[in-house]
PDB file of all heavy atoms in Angstrom:
ATOM      1  N   ARG A 373     -68.389  -1.750   0.647  1.00 69.00           N
ATOM      2  CA  ARG A 373     -69.430  -0.922   0.052  1.00 69.00           C
ATOM      3  C   ARG A 373     -70.287  -1.798  -0.851  1.00 69.00           C
ATOM      4  O   ARG A 373     -69.768  -2.654  -1.572  1.00 69.00           O
ATOM      5  CB  ARG A 373     -68.830   0.236  -0.768  1.00 69.00           C
ATOM      6  CG  ARG A 373     -69.875   1.271  -1.150  1.00 69.00           C
ATOM      7  CD  ARG A 373     -69.277   2.379  -1.983  1.00 69.00           C
ATOM      8  NE  ARG A 373     -70.170   3.485  -2.155  1.00 69.00           N
ATOM      9  CZ  ARG A 373     -71.258   3.494  -2.928  1.00 69.00           C
ATOM     10  NH1 ARG A 373     -71.582   2.394  -3.608  1.00 69.00           N
ATOM     11  NH2 ARG A 373     -72.014   4.559  -3.028  1.00 69.00           N
ATOM     12  N   TYR A 374     -71.593  -1.577  -0.786  1.00 66.00           N
ATOM     13  CA  TYR A 374     -72.520  -2.369  -1.584  1.00 66.00           C
ATOM     14  C   TYR A 374     -72.208  -2.250  -3.073  1.00 66.00           C
ATOM     15  O   TYR A 374     -71.904  -1.180  -3.593  1.00 66.00           O
ATOM     16  CB  TYR A 374     -73.958  -1.896  -1.341  1.00 66.00           C
ATOM     17  CG  TYR A 374     -74.967  -2.543  -2.271  1.00 66.00           C
ATOM     18  CD1 TYR A 374     -75.410  -3.837  -2.048  1.00 66.00           C
ATOM     19  CD2 TYR A 374     -75.436  -1.849  -3.389  1.00 66.00           C
ATOM     20  CE1 TYR A 374     -76.323  -4.432  -2.918  1.00 66.00           C
ATOM     21  CE2 TYR A 374     -76.345  -2.426  -4.259  1.00 66.00           C
ATOM     22  CZ  TYR A 374     -76.791  -3.725  -4.015  1.00 66.00           C
ATOM     23  OH  TYR A 374     -77.685  -4.321  -4.868  1.00 66.00           O
ATOM     24  N   ALA A 375     -72.256  -3.399  -3.748  1.00 66.00           N
ATOM     25  CA  ALA A 375     -72.117  -3.429  -5.209  1.00 66.00           C
ATOM     26  C   ALA A 375     -73.254  -4.266  -5.774  1.00 66.00           C
ATOM     27  O   ALA A 375     -73.591  -5.311  -5.215  1.00 66.00           O
ATOM     28  CB  ALA A 375     -70.771  -4.037  -5.599  1.00 66.00           C
ATOM     29  N   PRO A 376     -73.872  -3.820  -6.849  1.00 67.00           N
ATOM     30  CA  PRO A 376     -75.049  -4.525  -7.397  1.00 67.00           C
ATOM     31  C   PRO A 376     -74.643  -5.798  -8.152  1.00 67.00           C
ATOM     32  O   PRO A 376     -74.912  -5.940  -9.337  1.00 67.00           O
ATOM     33  CB  PRO A 376     -75.671  -3.480  -8.320  1.00 67.00           C
ATOM     34  CG  PRO A 376     -74.513  -2.649  -8.761  1.00 67.00           C
ATOM     35  CD  PRO A 376     -73.571  -2.596  -7.604  1.00 67.00           C
ATOM     36  N   THR A 377     -73.970  -6.700  -7.466  1.00 72.00           N
ATOM     37  CA  THR A 377     -73.580  -7.985  -8.047  1.00 72.00           C
ATOM     38  C   THR A 377     -73.885  -9.077  -7.037  1.00 72.00           C
ATOM     39  O   THR A 377     -74.310  -8.802  -5.915  1.00 72.00           O
ATOM     40  CB  THR A 377     -72.086  -8.000  -8.395  1.00 72.00           C
ATOM     41  OG1 THR A 377     -71.331  -7.810  -7.190  1.00 72.00           O
ATOM     42  CG2 THR A 377     -71.725  -6.897  -9.381  1.00 72.00           C
ATOM     43  N   GLU A 378     -73.630 -10.324  -7.399  1.00 77.00           N
ATOM     44  CA  GLU A 378     -73.905 -11.436  -6.500  1.00 77.00           C
ATOM     45  C   GLU A 378     -72.856 -11.561  -5.403  1.00 77.00           C
ATOM     46  O   GLU A 378     -73.107 -12.202  -4.381  1.00 77.00           O
ATOM     47  CB  GLU A 378     -73.960 -12.751  -7.292  1.00 77.00           C
ATOM     48  CG  GLU A 378     -75.139 -12.832  -8.266  1.00 77.00           C
ATOM     49  CD  GLU A 378     -75.165 -14.158  -8.996  1.00 77.00           C
ATOM     50  OE1 GLU A 378     -74.211 -14.950  -8.800  1.00 77.00           O
ATOM     51  OE2 GLU A 378     -76.114 -14.397  -9.754  1.00 77.00           O
ATOM     52  N   SER A 379     -71.682 -10.974  -5.589  1.00 79.00           N
ATOM     53  CA  SER A 379     -70.591 -11.108  -4.626  1.00 79.00           C
ATOM     54  C   SER A 379     -70.164  -9.748  -4.083  1.00 79.00           C
ATOM     55  O   SER A 379     -70.216  -8.740  -4.787  1.00 79.00           O
ATOM     56  CB  SER A 379     -69.385 -11.799  -5.275  1.00 79.00           C
ATOM     57  OG  SER A 379     -69.715 -13.093  -5.717  1.00 79.00           O
ATOM     58  N   ALA A 380     -69.721  -9.763  -2.828  1.00 79.00           N
ATOM     59  CA  ALA A 380     -69.202  -8.555  -2.195  1.00 79.00           C
ATOM     60  C   ALA A 380     -67.742  -8.797  -1.820  1.00 79.00           C
ATOM     61  O   ALA A 380     -67.380  -9.867  -1.331  1.00 79.00           O
ATOM     62  CB  ALA A 380     -70.008  -8.214  -0.947  1.00 79.00           C
ATOM     63  N   HIS A 381     -66.912  -7.792  -2.053  1.00 83.00           N
ATOM     64  CA  HIS A 381     -65.503  -7.880  -1.685  1.00 83.00           C
ATOM     65  C   HIS A 381     -65.287  -7.059  -0.415  1.00 83.00           C
ATOM     66  O   HIS A 381     -65.639  -5.878  -0.365  1.00 83.00           O
ATOM     67  CB  HIS A 381     -64.612  -7.353  -2.815  1.00 83.00           C
ATOM     68  CG  HIS A 381     -64.745  -8.138  -4.074  1.00 83.00           C
ATOM     69  ND1 HIS A 381     -64.388  -9.459  -4.166  1.00 83.00           N
ATOM     70  CD2 HIS A 381     -65.195  -7.788  -5.298  1.00 83.00           C
ATOM     71  CE1 HIS A 381     -64.608  -9.894  -5.389  1.00 83.00           C
ATOM     72  NE2 HIS A 381     -65.110  -8.897  -6.104  1.00 83.00           N
ATOM     73  N   ILE A 382     -64.708  -7.683   0.613  1.00 83.00           N
ATOM     74  CA  ILE A 382     -64.525  -7.009   1.900  1.00 83.00           C
ATOM     75  C   ILE A 382     -63.039  -6.967   2.257  1.00 83.00           C
ATOM     76  O   ILE A 382     -62.260  -7.856   1.921  1.00 83.00           O
ATOM     77  CB  ILE A 382     -65.316  -7.700   3.025  1.00 83.00           C
ATOM     78  CG1 ILE A 382     -64.928  -9.176   3.159  1.00 83.00           C
ATOM     79  CG2 ILE A 382     -66.804  -7.539   2.794  1.00 83.00           C
ATOM     80  CD1 ILE A 382     -65.601  -9.874   4.327  1.00 83.00           C
ATOM     81  N   TYR A 383     -62.672  -5.882   2.933  1.00 87.00           N
ATOM     82  CA  TYR A 383     -61.300  -5.654   3.400  1.00 87.00           C
ATOM     83  C   TYR A 383     -61.342  -5.800   4.914  1.00 87.00           C
ATOM     84  O   TYR A 383     -62.030  -5.040   5.602  1.00 87.00           O
ATOM     85  CB  TYR A 383     -60.867  -4.256   2.975  1.00 87.00           C
ATOM     86  CG  TYR A 383     -59.460  -3.834   3.334  1.00 87.00           C
ATOM     87  CD1 TYR A 383     -58.479  -3.745   2.358  1.00 87.00           C
ATOM     88  CD2 TYR A 383     -59.108  -3.499   4.637  1.00 87.00           C
ATOM     89  CE1 TYR A 383     -57.182  -3.325   2.667  1.00 87.00           C
ATOM     90  CE2 TYR A 383     -57.823  -3.090   4.958  1.00 87.00           C
ATOM     91  CZ  TYR A 383     -56.862  -3.003   3.970  1.00 87.00           C
ATOM     92  OH  TYR A 383     -55.587  -2.589   4.277  1.00 87.00           O
ATOM     93  N   VAL A 384     -60.634  -6.776   5.456  1.00 86.00           N
ATOM     94  CA  VAL A 384     -60.772  -7.132   6.870  1.00 86.00           C
ATOM     95  C   VAL A 384     -59.421  -7.114   7.568  1.00 86.00           C
ATOM     96  O   VAL A 384     -58.452  -7.730   7.098  1.00 86.00           O
ATOM     97  CB  VAL A 384     -61.388  -8.538   7.028  1.00 86.00           C
ATOM     98  CG1 VAL A 384     -61.556  -8.875   8.510  1.00 86.00           C
ATOM     99  CG2 VAL A 384     -62.718  -8.617   6.304  1.00 86.00           C
ATOM    100  N   GLY A 385     -59.327  -6.383   8.678  1.00 84.00           N
ATOM    101  CA  GLY A 385     -58.169  -6.467   9.571  1.00 84.00           C
ATOM    102  C   GLY A 385     -58.505  -7.399  10.715  1.00 84.00           C
ATOM    103  O   GLY A 385     -59.601  -7.358  11.275  1.00 84.00           O
ATOM    104  N   LEU A 386     -57.564  -8.264  11.082  1.00 83.00           N
ATOM    105  CA  LEU A 386     -57.829  -9.305  12.071  1.00 83.00           C
ATOM    106  C   LEU A 386     -56.709  -9.335  13.097  1.00 83.00           C
ATOM    107  O   LEU A 386     -55.524  -9.443  12.751  1.00 83.00           O
ATOM    108  CB  LEU A 386     -57.926 -10.664  11.366  1.00 83.00           C
ATOM    109  CG  LEU A 386     -58.426 -11.855  12.172  1.00 83.00           C
ATOM    110  CD1 LEU A 386     -59.878 -11.636  12.584  1.00 83.00           C
ATOM    111  CD2 LEU A 386     -58.290 -13.128  11.361  1.00 83.00           C
ATOM    112  N   LYS A 387     -57.055  -9.239  14.375  1.00 82.00           N
ATOM    113  CA  LYS A 387     -56.066  -9.306  15.447  1.00 82.00           C
ATOM    114  C   LYS A 387     -55.656 -10.753  15.679  1.00 82.00           C
ATOM    115  O   LYS A 387     -56.514 -11.638  15.763  1.00 82.00           O
ATOM    116  CB  LYS A 387     -56.622  -8.699  16.735  1.00 82.00           C
ATOM    117  CG  LYS A 387     -55.567  -8.443  17.804  1.00 82.00           C
ATOM    118  CD  LYS A 387     -56.169  -7.671  18.967  1.00 82.00           C
ATOM    119  CE  LYS A 387     -55.112  -7.301  19.986  1.00 82.00           C
ATOM    120  NZ  LYS A 387     -54.116  -6.376  19.454  1.00 82.00           N
ATOM    121  N   LEU A 388     -54.352 -10.984  15.777  1.00 82.00           N
ATOM    122  CA  LEU A 388     -53.825 -12.336  15.968  1.00 82.00           C
ATOM    123  C   LEU A 388     -53.204 -12.460  17.352  1.00 82.00           C
ATOM    124  O   LEU A 388     -52.444 -11.604  17.786  1.00 82.00           O
ATOM    125  CB  LEU A 388     -52.761 -12.648  14.908  1.00 82.00           C
ATOM    126  CG  LEU A 388     -53.186 -12.529  13.439  1.00 82.00           C
ATOM    127  CD1 LEU A 388     -51.989 -12.756  12.536  1.00 82.00           C
ATOM    128  CD2 LEU A 388     -54.300 -13.533  13.114  1.00 82.00           C
ATOM    129  N   ARG A 389     -53.520 -13.556  18.014  1.00 77.00           N
ATOM    130  CA  ARG A 389     -52.920 -13.811  19.328  1.00 77.00           C
ATOM    131  C   ARG A 389     -51.675 -14.670  19.204  1.00 77.00           C
ATOM    132  O   ARG A 389     -50.798 -14.629  20.048  1.00 77.00           O
ATOM    133  CB  ARG A 389     -53.939 -14.503  20.248  1.00 77.00           C
ATOM    134  CG  ARG A 389     -55.162 -13.659  20.564  1.00 77.00           C
ATOM    135  CD  ARG A 389     -56.094 -14.390  21.516  1.00 77.00           C
ATOM    136  NE  ARG A 389     -56.670 -15.588  20.899  1.00 77.00           N
ATOM    137  CZ  ARG A 389     -57.792 -15.583  20.185  1.00 77.00           C
ATOM    138  NH1 ARG A 389     -58.457 -14.465  19.994  1.00 77.00           N
ATOM    139  NH2 ARG A 389     -58.256 -16.709  19.658  1.00 77.00           N
ATOM    140  N   ARG A 390     -51.623 -15.499  18.168  1.00 67.00           N
ATOM    141  CA  ARG A 390     -50.524 -16.454  18.025  1.00 67.00           C
ATOM    142  C   ARG A 390     -49.802 -16.264  16.687  1.00 67.00           C
ATOM    143  O   ARG A 390     -49.412 -17.228  16.033  1.00 67.00           O
ATOM    144  CB  ARG A 390     -51.037 -17.883  18.178  1.00 67.00           C
ATOM    145  CG  ARG A 390     -51.463 -18.207  19.599  1.00 67.00           C
ATOM    146  CD  ARG A 390     -52.027 -19.613  19.725  1.00 67.00           C
ATOM    147  NE  ARG A 390     -53.345 -19.734  19.117  1.00 67.00           N
ATOM    148  CZ  ARG A 390     -53.578 -20.391  17.994  1.00 67.00           C
ATOM    149  NH1 ARG A 390     -52.602 -20.957  17.339  1.00 67.00           N
ATOM    150  NH2 ARG A 390     -54.812 -20.481  17.525  1.00 67.00           N
ATOM    151  N   SER A 391     -49.642 -15.041  16.296  1.00 68.00           N
ATOM    152  CA  SER A 391     -48.840 -14.681  15.134  1.00 68.00           C
ATOM    153  C   SER A 391     -49.284 -15.417  13.871  1.00 68.00           C
ATOM    154  O   SER A 391     -50.466 -15.644  13.649  1.00 68.00           O
ATOM    155  CB  SER A 391     -47.365 -14.949  15.444  1.00 68.00           C
ATOM    156  OG  SER A 391     -46.542 -14.381  14.459  1.00 68.00           O
TER     157      SER A 391
END
Side-chain angles (χ1 to χ4, degrees):
R373 192 181 191 287
Y374 172 78
T377 61
E378 294 181 355
S379 299
H381 298 296
I382 57 175
Y383 181 107
V384 181
L386 190 65
K387 193 172 185 65
L388 303 175
R389 296 182 294 272
R390 290 178 288 108
S391 191

